């Protein structure tokens, strides 16, 4: 999202989070990495608000600085370490300032972070946020504080997140935490622990509450939303057998019924688990966006096997065909890793040919970055030279830019329903928002209001943006 960027990997920006109030103790919170981290930061803000902290965008007035960190690639960690060095002077001048590391880096590095980064006072993993007030008290007594315990059941279900973007239109709602998939390249199962689903009633309550507060879009978040399953009956008993009481398609249907004016998005889908039932629910509701983020990672079956992804090239293409059959105008995006262990030129060509076959509307593309303790680090050699990874990545990016441009060119002359998010980056006289296929649309502001829907006739495009004029205010 243009004004709300979180994934280091994805957009290369970190964001500062605030809901400005000016009395009492101040928390400065910076979030790196994925949407899940952004969503967690809102839980952290809520826990801290109960302790009398309000969040601020002005780091100078902070009593506590928390960085919610990402470990997905080495670069993400390097950025956080560089950011920490910016705080050195501040800490020397104000030794009482508390600096904490949250999230995946905290979980991965644990106590050793305190030894490596001397100015850090506090380390808290993704399942330890309820303990933050105690940890901060501990720091107050002159000690360093660490809690990196992972939980099998923490979902923060009862915590009502403090929304950190002011006057927001679009919000994230976490539905599962952790991941059980063990893709061989991925550090997430180690940093976020076992997968667990959140009580559907609490998800629905949160979505209804957001709608009443003026939000018009929710994105249901999980590392693998398709494996969402709630197995507890209304009597509080755990249901046996294979059928959950609520699966992902049933959950999404309930969220879609909150209001036809509430757009529903979801991320991330997993090719091995995405069912036709889910696709049918997307097709059935006009307010569930026809947009699926379906990471492929590689177009070659042997590489996918080494990645432990649980599907082949053919299976993936079968899922793409199912999407196109059941939701004909569905936008599809993907994640691609290039230069994974042992990747040959032929295997790389398979990724390019799969891209040619699918024509993704959008893609996030990365060089493989070896992560400590992962299956790949233990089993395989990171043997594709960095220069070759770079060359392959450029080929993949070039192809994708062509496909993204083509996808946008096909929309020229069409009318797109856009949820207005606010002023565009280019000028105050232009507003922006997304169409339901998740493309950013920019148009002259005129009478458009943030949080309302407009119909825009598309006139021009780039590979990243659609440009047009409002035809109708809905
Ligand atoms: N190296 C490069 N990219 C990675 N991703 C996950 N782990 C790694 C890694 N070790 C990418 C995958 C995933 C996305 C969120 O990040 O493509 O889908
Ligand atoms: Fe990592 Fe795979 Fe889980 Fe995604 S599904 S978080 S890539 S282990």
């Amino acid at each position: 999202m243009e004004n709300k960027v979180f994934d280091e990997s994805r957009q290369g920006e970190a964001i500062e989070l605030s809901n400005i109030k000016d009395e009492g103790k101040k928390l400065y919170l910076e979030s790196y990495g994925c949407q899940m981290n952004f969503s967690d930061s809102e839980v952290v803000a809520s826990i801290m608000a109960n302790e009398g902290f309000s969040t601020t965008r002005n780091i100078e007035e902070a009593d506590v600085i928390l960085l919610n960190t990402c470990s997905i690639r080495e670069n993400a960690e390097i950025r956080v370490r560089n950011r920490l060095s910016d705080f050195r002077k501040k800490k020397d001048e104000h030794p009482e300032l508390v600096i904490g590391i949250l999230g995946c880096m905290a979980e991965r590095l644990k106590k050793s972070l305190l030894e490596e980064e001397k100015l850090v006072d506090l380390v808290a993993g993704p399942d330890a946020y309820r303990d933050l007030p105690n940890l901060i008290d501990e720091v107050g007594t002159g000690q360093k504080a660490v809690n990196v315990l992972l939980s099998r059941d923490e979902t923060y279900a009862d915590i009502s997140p403090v929304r950190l973007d002011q006057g927001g239109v679009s919000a994230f709602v976490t539905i599962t935490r952790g991941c059980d998939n063990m893709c061989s390249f991925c550090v997430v199962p180690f940093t976020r622990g076992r997968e667990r689903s959140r009580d559907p009633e609490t998800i629905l309550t949160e979505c209804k509450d957001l709608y009443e507060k003026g939000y018009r879009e929710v994105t249901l978040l999980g590392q693998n939303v398709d494996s969402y399953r709630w197995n507890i009956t209304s009597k509080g008993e755990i249901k046996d057998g294979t059928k959950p009481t609520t699966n992902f398609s049933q959950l999404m249907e309930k969220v879609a019924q909150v209001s036809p004016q509430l757009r529903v998005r979801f991320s991330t889908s997993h090719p091995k688990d995405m069912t036709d039932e889910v696709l049918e629910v997307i097709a059935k509701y006009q307010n569930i966006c026809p947009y699926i983020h379906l990471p492929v990672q590689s177009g070659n079956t042997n590489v996918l096997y080494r990645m432990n992804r649980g599907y082949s090239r053919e299976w993936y293409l079968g899922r793409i065909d199912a999407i196109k059959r059941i939701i004909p105008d569905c936008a599809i995006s993907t994640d691609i890793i290039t230069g994974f262990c042992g990747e040959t030129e032929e295997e790389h060509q398979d990724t390019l040919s799969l891209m040619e076959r699918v024509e993704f509307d959008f893609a996030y593309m990365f060089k493989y970055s070896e992560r400590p303790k992962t299956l790949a680090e233990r089993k395989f050699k990171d043997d594709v030279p960095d220069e070759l990874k770079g060359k392959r990545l450029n080929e993949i990016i070039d192809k994708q830019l062509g496909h993204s441009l083509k996808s946008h060119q096909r929309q020229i002359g069409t009318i797109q329903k856009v949820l207005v998010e606010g002023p565009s980056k280019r000028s105050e006289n232009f507003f922006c928002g997304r169409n339901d296929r998740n493309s950013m649309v920019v148009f002259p502001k005129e009478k458009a209001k943030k949080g309302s829907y407009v119909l825009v006739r598309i006139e021009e495009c780039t590979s990243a943006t659609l440009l047009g004029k409002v035809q109708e205010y809905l």
Side-chain angles (χ1 to χ4, degrees):
M1 293 172 202
E2 197 165 77
N3 301 321
K4 230 193 305 157
V5 174
F6 0 81
D7 192 335
E8 163 287 319
S9 50
R10 305 206 152 162
Q11 269 97 353
E13 268 179 54
I15 42 165
E16 301 156 18
L17 308 159
S18 81
N19 68 332
I20 301 156
K21 276 194 223 129
D22 50 13
E23 68 286 350
K25 294 173 283 181
K26 296 279 191 292
L27 163 67
Y28 177 88
L29 189 51
E30 226 171 63
S31 203
Y32 292 78
C34 63
Q35 300 170 336
M36 186 70 83
N37 259 10
F38 181 85
S39 175
D40 280 1
S41 292
E42 298 189 323
V43 167
V44 168
S46 172
I47 291 166
M48 295 291 282
N50 280 340
E51 296 297 304
F53 279 88
S54 57
T55 51
T56 175
R57 267 177 209 276
N58 180 2
I59 196 163
E60 299 307 326
E61 60 177 23
D63 302 293
V64 175
I65 296 177
L66 298 177
L67 303 188
N68 194 359
T69 62
C70 171
S71 288
I72 197 105
R73 281 168 289 279
E74 199 183 2
N75 281 347
E77 294 200 357
I78 293 172
R79 289 184 66 219
V80 169
R81 289 186 189 264
N82 289 341
R83 182 64 175 136
L84 275 174
S85 63
D86 295 343
F87 303 149
R88 187 144 297 130
K89 196 160 149 260
K90 233 180 281 302
K91 181 79 175 164
D92 287 344
E93 288 165 5
H94 303 283
E96 72 289 357
L97 173 69
V98 178
I99 298 181
I101 296 288
L102 315 180
C104 289
M105 260 178 98
E107 194 61 52
R108 193 178 85 68
L109 296 161
K110 304 187 170 59
K111 236 178 31 211
S112 63
L113 243 183
L114 296 173
E115 283 136 38
E116 290 165 23
E117 303 287 346
K118 293 279 184 269
L119 80 172
V120 172
D121 303 295
L122 177 164
V123 174
D127 288 343
Y129 298 149
R130 287 183 203 264
D131 198 27
L132 276 171
N134 301 328
L135 297 173
I136 288 173
D137 285 349
E138 217 173 304
V139 173
T141 66
Q143 299 166 63
K144 302 253 172 184
V146 183
N147 185 343
V148 287
L149 286 178
L150 286 172
S151 157
R152 285 218 165 215
D153 50 21
E154 177 64 273
T155 59
Y156 301 114
D158 55 316
I159 294 183
S160 172
V162 169
R163 302 295 162 186
L164 292 161
D165 53 338
Q166 297 128 52
V169 173
S170 180
F172 295 113
V173 176
T174 298
I175 64 165
T176 68
R177 298 183 68 83
C179 186
D180 285 348
N181 285 321
M182 299 301 274
C183 298
S184 65
F185 51 79
C186 188
V187 78
V188 168
F190 303 94
T191 59
R192 289 189 158 270
R194 298 301 298 267
E195 183 185 278
R196 60 226 102 118
S197 295
R198 178 177 167 193
D199 181 340
E201 288 309 319
T202 68
I203 297 172
L204 280 173
T205 306
E206 190 173 327
C207 292
K208 283 179 193 156
D209 186 50
L210 284 164
Y211 182 72
E212 275 154 25
K213 292 199 168 107
Y215 283 79
R216 289 296 173 264
E217 184 174 272
V218 289
T219 303
L220 306 179
L221 287 184
Q223 241 68 49
N224 171 1
V225 288
D226 297 299
S227 62
Y228 176 87
R229 52 187 294 129
W230 182 253
N231 255 18
I232 299 177
T233 66
S234 54
K235 292 191 190 115
E237 294 154 353
I238 295 177
K239 197 173 158 184
D240 310 326
T242 51
K243 268 205 151 203
T245 57
T246 310
N247 65 19
F248 180 55
S249 61
Q250 291 158 339
L251 175 73
M252 197 151 57
E253 190 149 20
K254 287 184 188 163
V255 175
Q257 287 165 357
V258 167
S259 164
Q261 294 295 316
L262 182 69
R263 258 188 187 175
V264 184
R265 297 188 187 278
F266 52 91
S267 189
T268 299
S269 304
H270 199 302
K272 79 178 164 59
D273 295 321
M274 189 186 66
T275 60
D276 285 2
E277 193 188 341
V278 167
L279 301 178
E280 277 147 17
V281 170
I282 301 169
K284 181 169 157 196
Y285 288 88
Q286 59 75 32
N287 57 327
I288 302 182
C289 290
Y291 164 57
I292 300 180
H293 181 60
L294 196 67
V296 65
Q297 315 296 3
S298 165
N300 176 274
T301 296
N302 289 331
V303 175
L304 289 169
Y305 184 76
R306 296 203 290 281
M307 288 178 164
N308 199 28
R309 286 289 289 175
Y311 55 87
S312 63
R313 174 189 173 97
E314 288 66 34
W315 174 272
Y316 185 88
L317 290 173
R319 294 289 73 212
I320 294 290
D321 292 343
I323 296 172
K324 293 189 170 165
R325 185 178 71 246
I326 300 170
I327 321 164
D329 200 29
C330 191
I332 305 173
S333 64
T334 201
D335 290 343
I336 295 173
I337 297 178
T338 191
F340 185 65
C341 310
E343 186 187 69
T344 63
E345 181 57 30
E346 221 182 332
E347 290 168 341
H348 164 62
Q349 289 301 327
D350 280 348
T351 296
L352 292 170
S353 77
L354 179 130
M355 293 174 77
E356 206 52 60
R357 157 86 150 73
V358 179
E359 289 203 9
F360 294 107
D361 297 276
F362 193 80
Y364 301 95
M365 299 154 282
F366 315 104
K367 281 193 218 171
Y368 171 60
S369 162
E370 186 176 80
R371 306 311 290 132
K373 283 205 197 147
T374 53
L375 288 177
E377 189 242 9
R378 285 182 275 149
K379 257 173 84 178
F380 307 121
K381 253 183 102 179
D382 180 13
D383 54 359
V384 178
D386 192 59
E387 207 178 309
L388 187 53
K389 284 182 186 169
K391 177 174 168 286
R392 290 180 183 169
L393 183 63
N394 284 338
E395 288 172 20
I396 287 170
I397 291 173
D398 282 350
K399 186 169 286 295
Q400 184 52 46
L401 285 178
H403 290 162
S404 296
L405 183 62
K406 224 165 124 184
S407 152
H408 276 174
Q409 281 167 339
R410 276 197 293 269
Q411 295 180 64
I412 291 179
T414 64
I415 308 276
Q416 298 290 319
K417 186 173 171 183
V418 174
L419 175 59
V420 182
E421 286 181 16
S424 84
K425 275 186 187 158
R426 84 158 39 180
S427 117
E428 283 287 314
N429 298 327
F430 284 80
F431 261 26
C432 68
R434 287 174 185 275
N435 66 2
D436 58 5
R437 306 177 86 248
N438 206 38
S439 289
M440 186 50 81
V441 182
V442 176
F443 47 90
K445 177 181 171 191
E446 294 170 355
K447 289 178 288 170
K449 278 203 224 69
K450 194 170 166 175
S452 65
Y453 289 100
V454 290
L455 293 181
V456 178
R457 175 181 287 279
I458 307 300
E459 294 173 340
E460 290 172 62
C461 73
T462 66
S463 61
T465 317
L466 297 171
L467 298 143
K469 290 219 176 71
V470 176
Q471 291 271 299
E472 202 181 324
Y473 299 89
L474 299 176

